[in-house]
Amino acid sequence: MTRNVCEEILETLIDAGVTQIFGVTGDALNPLVDAIRRDGRLRWIGVRHEETAAYAATAYSQITGKLGVCAGTVGPGAMHLLNGLYNAHKEGASVLAITGQVPRADAGTGFFQEVNLTQVFSEVCVFQQTITSPEQMPRLIQQAIQNALSAPGVARIEIPSDMTALPVPSEAMSHPIFTPEYEVTPCEAGIAKAAEILNAAKKPTIFVGSGCTGARDELLELAKVMKAPIVHALKGHDVMEADNPYWVGLTGMIGTDAGYHAIEQCDTLLMLGTDFPYRAFYPTGVPIVQVDIRGENLGKRAPVAHGLIGHIKPTLKSLIPKLTGSADAGHLESIQKRRQKWDAKMDKKSSLDTHHVPLHPQAVARAISDAADDDAIFVVDVGECTVWAARFLRLRAGQRMIGSFNHGSLGAALPAAIGAQSVDRKRQVIALCGDGGFGMSMQDFVTAARYDWPLTVVVFNNQTLGFVKLEMEATGYPEFGDATDLVNPDFAKYAEICGGVGFSIREPHEVAPAIKSALASDKPCIIDAFVNPGELVMPPTIGPAQVWGFSISKIKEILG
């Protein structure tokens, strides 16, 4: 049977293991959606904004390791995908975007909704092509999928509206989709050089990122041999369980005291699978050994004494037998003591025992962490809620944490949670959002209700863009409420209007019951948590410039 262009696209997607497409239809995409209806093997998930579709496809890829697919129609419909696709690009997710285009005969005439999408998407895509002839099929869609999977990254296929129903004359080029299944291990000489540097260290520290996912056992063995603390970047938060004694915390502006000093006081740093961007938090004057599968990351953030290109798990398997374990355990023990003190301090901050109104956001974050299932997925938005997640989610083995950690896009959590929940409605998915971030994408809470997905959204409601306000104060700008203050609806009632369940919590005794009910519900839930807007987000160490800027901003407010 001869297939048309849309039917050929579907057949190839199904062969690649795709089961669903997130999108908003219209115009050029209508024949594709009708083909999905007639075929019945692939699910179209209709969302309320194309940006949601792109974020959801990204999260689907992050959780499954498979191809996520999103779609937007001609012009604005395609462009609405762009921010979510930038997130996929910077998070290294495999995503295919299917976009519409005006009829070929009208291209270049300034036709209604015509946009040069190739130019618009040029930075975000590892592959993009326009289907201008049915003879290009199925080869073009196969190339797009394989590029997205192997990079990994974003691929885009553009379909002019007059191409969709044309028959594909031949399937001679059709072949199975080849997914990347390989491990790269550095050469023996490179491993030996790394071991030589590490064996000379007396106070080594290991610094890990998301590239270490799946290498937990090798990482722990390495730490034991080296007698080294393990510090993680934000994207590496779920690499290892929080209660492991070698796992001492996060570094950076939202890091922990132990994580900061483990790097600051080391005499050798081993970087594994991280592209942590903040140069101020790297040590100076000490040798750095870096391992990354992407060669362009080596030495990009700090001067590296030795760089290795390879996947973390096989690299560590080759490296560990060459290590002598000659380091002094004093460095590790000192950092572990710092971590114990920090943990005690954080436990006190996150306690629900005190009658504090508005609520401490730390207490809400810790309560949701304690109540979550052992395989729960936390999806974190951008802003102060990132800090509460980084410091107060005590992740267990099997739990995941994802977010827009490289792109840093406000409003990403709810759409990404929708994508994560679509994978398995029986697995807990918990979105942690500020009221500013949730307000950017809240229209798609109704999508969760529509598809009967029982995700839980925790809104840290402080009626302000808290992190932006803190940034302004730290650099000496006075408070300007029109820029940072928010006027919010009743989020709990909004949940009910959409077909979900809503909880408003203001008192400490309300926190645990609301979380328990939300996580047990078979409907999507919003927990509207009224938290203290004056809660300070303090870095692990404070410089004179930050103190001065904060003081100046307060003086300006008083005088202004």
Side-chain angles (χ1 to χ4, degrees), residues 29 56 86 114 216 225 303-304 477 531 544:
L29 289 188
Y86 258 99
E114 183 184 7
R216 181 261 182 202
V225 171
V304 169
Y477 296 106
V531 298

Side-chain angles (χ1 to χ4, degrees), residues 237 241-244 339 343 347 365-366 369-370 378 389 391-396 399:
H237 199 55
E241 63 278 7
D243 60 359
N244 192 288
R339 184 206 159 156
D343 285 351
D347 288 345
R366 179 59 60 82
S369 177
D370 291 344
F378 295 95
R391 291 182 176 174
F392 296 95
L393 292 183
R394 296 185 60 82
L395 298 184
R396 303 188 287 278
Q399 292 181 334

Side-chain angles (χ1 to χ4, degrees), residues 23-34 44 46-47 50 71-74 77:
V24 179
T25 193
D27 203 298
L29 289 188
N30 290 339
L32 177 69
V33 174
D34 186 63
W44 175 267
V47 297
E50 289 90 349
T73 190
V74 179

Side-chain angles (χ1 to χ4, degrees), residues 179-431:
T179 56
E181 296 179 3
Y182 62 93
E183 287 187 338
V184 175
T185 305
C187 67
E188 283 295 318
I191 292 285
K193 177 64 175 178
E196 179 185 345
I197 296 171
L198 297 175
N199 286 334
K202 297 302 179 186
K203 298 191 297 180
T205 289
I206 303 167
F207 185 24
V208 307
S210 59
C212 292
T213 300
R216 181 261 182 202
D217 293 345
E218 290 76 14
L219 190 61
L220 183 56
E221 184 181 357
L222 174 74
K224 290 177 179 178
V225 171
M226 291 179 61
K227 306 183 188 70
I230 306 172
V231 179
H232 65 88
L234 182 59
K235 285 186 67 177
H237 199 55
D238 57 4
V239 167
M240 190 174 294
E241 63 278 7
D243 60 359
N244 192 288
Y246 290 90
W247 193 248
V248 300
L250 179 73
T251 189
M253 284 296 293
I254 63 173
T256 68
D257 176 75
Y260 171 78
H261 283 93
I263 290 180
E264 184 70 16
Q265 297 174 1
C266 74
D267 67 358
T268 304
L269 183 67
L270 174 59
M271 291 175 61
L272 299 173
T274 180
D275 186 34
F276 180 75
Y278 302 106
R279 292 178 60 185
F281 291 92
Y282 283 94
T284 56
V286 304
I288 298 175
V289 176
Q290 184 178 4
V291 184
D292 204 293
I293 189 57
R294 299 176 64 178
E296 65 269 27
N297 287 345
L298 300 180
K300 186 165 70 173
R301 307 300 182 185
V304 169
H306 186 56
L308 299 172
I309 297 175
H311 288 104
I312 302 303
K313 189 168 185 171
T315 299
L316 294 187
K317 285 182 177 179
S318 296
L319 176 63
I320 290 170
K322 292 180 170 55
L323 298 177
T324 59
S326 55
D328 185 348
H331 174 58
L332 171 63
E333 293 167 357
S334 172
I335 297 302
Q336 287 173 329
K337 288 177 182 177
R338 281 187 178 273
R339 184 206 159 156
Q340 291 167 5
K341 290 180 180 179
W342 177 269
D343 285 351
K345 182 179 178 181
M346 295 301 104
D347 288 345
K348 186 176 181 180
K349 280 184 174 290
S350 62
S351 173
L352 286 169
D353 294 339
T354 56
H355 185 79
H356 193 282
V357 178
L359 294 165
H360 285 306
Q362 301 95 321
V364 177
R366 179 59 60 82
I368 197 78
S369 177
D370 291 344
D373 286 348
D374 288 343
D375 65 345
I377 300 169
F378 295 95
V379 188
V380 183
D381 217 319
V382 172
E384 286 184 329
C385 59
T386 312
V387 183
W388 314 138
R391 291 182 176 174
F392 296 95
L393 292 183
R394 296 185 60 82
L395 298 184
R396 303 188 287 278
Q399 292 181 334
R400 294 290 309 276
M401 189 180 94
I402 62 173
S404 182
F405 297 141
N406 282 346
H407 189 39
S409 182
L410 194 62
L414 174 62
I418 286 171
Q421 190 72 85
S422 75
V423 177
D424 181 0
R425 78 174 310 277
K426 294 181 180 180
R427 187 173 182 181
Q428 275 184 1
V429 176
I430 303 164

